[in-house]
């Protein structure tokens, strides 16, 4: 019996979710008022669609929410989402989750009101995204940072250039370097293709390389790469909507934040709601103005306006003026794939961040966490080894792992291992596997 999942809202977020979940052969039904959007989604993904308003009993019944293991209400309207979730639960859905905008809803004291209504989880893409941005600035030398088990294992991504000692080396030749005992290269992004490396893989100039390490060795990666750790103090944010505000609120106690926005009234309101940030009213497309406000002294530049194009161009401009770290928020899927090749350090998309977070919740019992990486088709899946089967009787190299997957790290109680082919799994180990979509079925078989 597969999981039945009903998703209300077939916009970007609903689409990302349907796409991620359809890899796992779950039965998915999408509800949306727009027939064209539904036709587009069903031409791309194997899902059922129901046209109509998700707050209507008749539509929810047509979507069989009574049999749903999970209903995800992720339309762009917060009120629709809350009503949909409440009704779906009353109609018999096992778990329901609603996407919200209002930050006060997310406060722990207020969450209980929603739980009393039967809503199991609230999710705010904007808040998740600002948390993610904070994480990227804290670890600014890398373009991506993921942590597992509260940071026992870290996964970081970085683009290598010609001057890098690893370029033109085979991965097996790096093994002789003692540093590589606690660090491993687990994925390479090259020309928008994801490569799960083998010993014979050669690292090329401009490869975007993902390393896994235990916490204490993240510093060592910097040394291997000859990267100097850059401390971030001054941050400029352009934009003034919810995303910019949430991010400024999260950053302003740790960094010196300057926020530039064009609308006068909104700037007043932002200045009242931010304690330690400097709010400047002006046109952020005007480079002279940004330079006057200290662009060249900035360590980080966050482009969070509502236009993806403005964000990308402004980030490239900031880069040209010597800003160390640039992050652009983009709304369109198409841009995410080209980010590394156009020179913006990091692109972020709040719907994708939120879709990753939700699909973490939904993975089967043995799977604890899943993270997607921008532009990479593979994702990290955390399995726990819960059965006494051949998994724990043989070393990894004899387990016939699919070529499109790699065991990146293993957590055993308080210990953390970066396993090689001789490593043997033990009962209750948590294995973090990086897998391309085609490896999923084979992995399910191995771990169940």
């Amino acid at each position: 019996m597969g999981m039945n999942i009903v998703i209300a809202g077939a916009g970007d977020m609903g689409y990302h979710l349907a796409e991620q979940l359809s890899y796992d052969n779950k039965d998915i039904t999408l509800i949306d008022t727009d027939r064209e959007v539904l036709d587009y989604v069903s031409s791309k993904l194997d899902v059922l669609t129901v046209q109509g308003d998700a707050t209507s009993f008749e539509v929810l019944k047509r979507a069989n929410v009574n049999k749903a293991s999970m209903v995800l209400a992720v339309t762009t309207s917060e009120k629709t989402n809350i009503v949909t979730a409440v009704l779906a639960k009353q109609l018999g859905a096992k778990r329901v989750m609603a996407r919200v905008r209002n930050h006060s809803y997310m406060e722990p004291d207020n969450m209980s009101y929603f739980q009393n209504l039967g809503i199991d989880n609230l999710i705010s893409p904007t808040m998740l995204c600002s948390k993610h941005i904070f994480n990227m600035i804290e670890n600014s030398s890398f373009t991506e940072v993921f942590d597992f088990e509260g940071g026992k294992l870290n996964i970081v991504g970085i683009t290598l250039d010609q001057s890098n000692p690893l370029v033109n080396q085979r991965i097996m030749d790096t093994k002789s370097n003692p540093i590589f005992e606690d660090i491993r290269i687990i994925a390479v992004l090259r020309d928008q293709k994801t490569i799960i490396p083998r010993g014979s893989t050669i690292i090329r100039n401009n490869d975007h390389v993902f390393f896994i390490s235990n916490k204490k060795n993240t510093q060592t990666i910097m040394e291997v790469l000859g990267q100097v750790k850059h401390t971030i103090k001054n941050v400029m944010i352009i934009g003034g909507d919810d995303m910019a505000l949430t991010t400024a609120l999260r950053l302003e106690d740790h960094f010196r934040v300057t926020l530039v926005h064009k609308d006068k009234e909104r700037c007043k309101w932002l200045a009242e709601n931010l304690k330690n940030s400097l709010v400047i009213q002006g046109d952020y497309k005007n480079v002279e103005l940004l330079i006057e406000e200290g662009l060249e002294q900035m360590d980080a530049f966050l482009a969070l306006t509502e236009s993806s194009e403005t964000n990308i161009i402004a980030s490239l401009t900031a880069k040209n003026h010597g800003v160390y770290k640039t992050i652009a928020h983009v709304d369109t899927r198409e841009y995410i794939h080209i980010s590394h090749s156009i020179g913006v350090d990091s692109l972020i998309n709040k719907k994708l961040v939120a879709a990753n977070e939700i699909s973490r919740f939904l993975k089967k019992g043995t799977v604890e966490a899943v993270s997607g990486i921008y532009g990479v088709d593979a994702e990290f899946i955390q399995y726990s080894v819960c059965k006494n089967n051949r998994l724990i009787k043989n070393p990894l190299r004899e387990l016939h792992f699919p070529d499109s997957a790699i065991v990146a790290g293993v957590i055993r109680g308080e210990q953390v291992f970066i396993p090689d082919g001789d490593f043997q799994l033990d009962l209750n180990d948590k294995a973090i596997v990086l897998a391309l979509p085609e490896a999923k079925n084979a992995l399910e078989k191995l771990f169940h």
Side-chain angles (χ1 to χ4, degrees):
M1 172 69 199
M3 251 183 132
N4 285 322
I5 296 176
V6 176
I7 301 174
D12 275 351
M13 193 170 156
Y15 184 92
H16 281 306
L17 278 166
E19 183 176 46
Q20 286 179 349
L21 299 168
S22 62
Y23 284 142
D24 307 334
N25 307 320
K26 296 188 177 12
D27 296 320
I28 297 163
T29 306
L30 268 174
I31 305 174
D32 201 283
T33 48
D34 186 336
R35 180 79 260 160
E36 252 172 69
V37 172
L38 289 175
D39 288 344
Y40 172 77
V41 177
S42 49
S43 71
K44 294 266 189 284
L45 305 173
D46 179 18
V47 294
L48 296 167
T49 60
V50 173
Q51 185 187 0
D53 178 346
T55 60
S56 119
F57 280 112
E58 183 247 339
V59 169
L60 289 171
K61 285 176 180 157
R62 277 210 324 255
N64 292 326
V65 293
N66 58 322
K67 296 198 186 75
S69 346
M70 183 64 148
V71 174
L72 301 167
V74 296
T75 74
T76 47
S77 151
E78 179 176 70
K79 292 185 175 58
T80 300
N81 296 341
I82 290 171
V83 175
T84 300
V86 170
L87 295 181
K89 191 60 172 273
Q90 296 295 322
L91 289 169
K94 275 204 197 54
R95 292 179 64 191
V96 300
M97 184 188 278
R99 164 189 178 175
V100 296
R101 287 214 165 98
N102 186 329
H103 298 187
S104 69
Y105 289 174
M106 304 293 290
E107 284 163 19
D109 302 350
N110 296 340
M111 282 293 293
S112 59
Y113 297 123
F114 289 97
Q115 276 148 358
N116 294 342
L117 289 170
I119 299 180
D120 300 289
N121 299 93
L122 294 179
I123 191 157
S124 156
T126 307
M127 287 180 81
L128 283 170
C129 204
S130 68
K131 192 165 124 196
H132 200 77
I133 289 175
F134 181 77
N135 210 354
M136 287 158 92
I137 289 183
E138 286 274 79
N139 299 280
S140 62
S141 323
F142 303 112
T143 47
E144 294 87 359
V145 181
F146 297 99
D147 63 359
F148 289 89
E149 289 289 298
K152 285 186 189 148
L153 276 177
N154 272 1
I155 289 167
V156 299
I158 195 157
T159 303
L160 302 184
D161 62 20
Q162 207 56 63
S163 63
N164 198 286
L166 292 176
V167 168
N168 296 332
Q169 283 208 44
R170 284 184 311 175
I171 287 188
M172 60 173 75
D173 304 335
T174 60
K175 291 271 195 293
S176 55
N177 185 334
I179 281 177
F180 276 93
E181 272 176 35
D182 296 313
I183 298 175
R184 178 133 327 134
I185 294 177
I186 53 164
V188 176
L189 187 60
R190 179 181 300 163
D191 304 329
Q192 301 179 33
K193 264 215 197 59
T194 308
I195 301 164
I196 303 266
R198 298 283 164 242
S200 56
T201 306
I202 296 173
I203 304 280
R204 298 278 181 225
N205 179 26
N206 230 356
D207 277 355
H208 192 71
V209 177
F210 290 90
F211 293 87
I212 188 164
S213 73
N214 45 22
K215 189 77 169 181
K216 58 178 190 295
N217 288 298
T218 308
Q219 200 42 48
T220 326
I221 297 181
M222 307 297 290
E223 286 154 27
V224 177
L225 297 173
Q227 301 274 351
V228 184
K229 182 144 174 60
H230 195 104
T231 315
I232 292 202
K233 295 194 187 77
N234 301 315
V235 179
M236 182 178 276
I237 298 177
I238 62 166
D241 67 358
D242 198 29
M243 182 80 190
L245 170 70
T246 313
T247 305
L249 280 170
R250 202 177 279 265
L251 297 179
E252 66 175 3
D253 295 337
H254 306 268
F255 307 99
R256 283 206 289 277
V257 175
T258 306
L259 185 142
V260 183
H261 185 57
K262 38 184 199 290
D263 180 76
K264 197 168 178 178
E265 284 306 303
R266 180 70 177 174
C267 281
K268 269 194 199 140
W269 187 89
L270 287 165
E272 284 161 19
N273 285 276
L274 290 164
K275 293 188 296 294
N276 303 326
S277 303
L278 173 65
V279 177
I280 307 281
Q281 190 225 331
D283 180 5
Y284 36 66
K285 289 192 177 126
N286 173 353
V287 181
E288 299 309 312
L289 169 87
L290 297 182
I291 291 172
E292 259 166 56
E293 297 305 339
L295 178 65
E296 287 164 338
Q297 285 74 53
M298 294 295 157
D299 306 299
F301 180 87
L302 310 178
L304 306 178
T305 77
E306 45 285 3
S307 152
S308 301
E309 286 79 5
T310 301
N311 293 344
I312 290 174
I313 290 164
S315 296
L316 293 173
T317 307
K319 206 78 198 150
N320 288 341
H321 284 276
V323 178
Y324 173 69
K325 177 79 182 171
T326 60
I327 300 175
H329 186 270
V330 297
D331 249 347
T332 29
R333 305 158 63 83
E334 288 71 48
Y335 288 133
I336 288 189
H337 282 287
I338 59 172
S339 68
H340 297 305
S341 48
I342 57 180
V344 176
D345 294 333
S346 304
L347 290 189
I348 186 164
N349 172 315
K350 67 179 183 215
K351 293 168 186 148
L352 195 53
V353 169
N356 281 338
E357 184 73 15
I358 292 175
S359 62
R360 278 185 179 202
F361 275 133
L362 291 182
K363 299 293 169 175
K364 291 211 186 76
T366 47
V367 177
E368 308 218 342
V370 175
S371 299
I373 319 177
Y374 291 111
V376 175
D377 308 325
E379 57 181 2
F380 297 106
I381 311 174
Q382 187 169 312
Y383 293 98
S384 24
V385 180
C386 50
K387 280 206 205 70
N388 185 352
N389 56 15
R390 69 191 185 96
L391 266 185
I392 60 179
K393 297 196 173 67
N394 303 305
L396 287 179
R397 68 162 49 95
E398 287 167 27
L399 291 177
H400 304 303
F401 252 77
D403 267 352
S404 45
I406 182 172
V407 180
V410 175
I411 295 165
R412 180 176 294 165
E414 286 306 303
Q415 286 176 291
V416 175
F417 302 94
I418 310 279
D420 56 12
D422 302 322
F423 186 88
Q424 225 162 325
L425 288 165
D426 215 346
L427 209 54
N428 300 323
D429 279 0
K430 290 180 175 169
I432 293 166
V433 179
L434 179 71
L436 287 162
E438 63 266 27
K440 298 271 185 71
N441 287 342
L443 288 173
E444 289 283 310
K445 287 195 183 77
L446 268 172
F447 282 96
H448 285 312

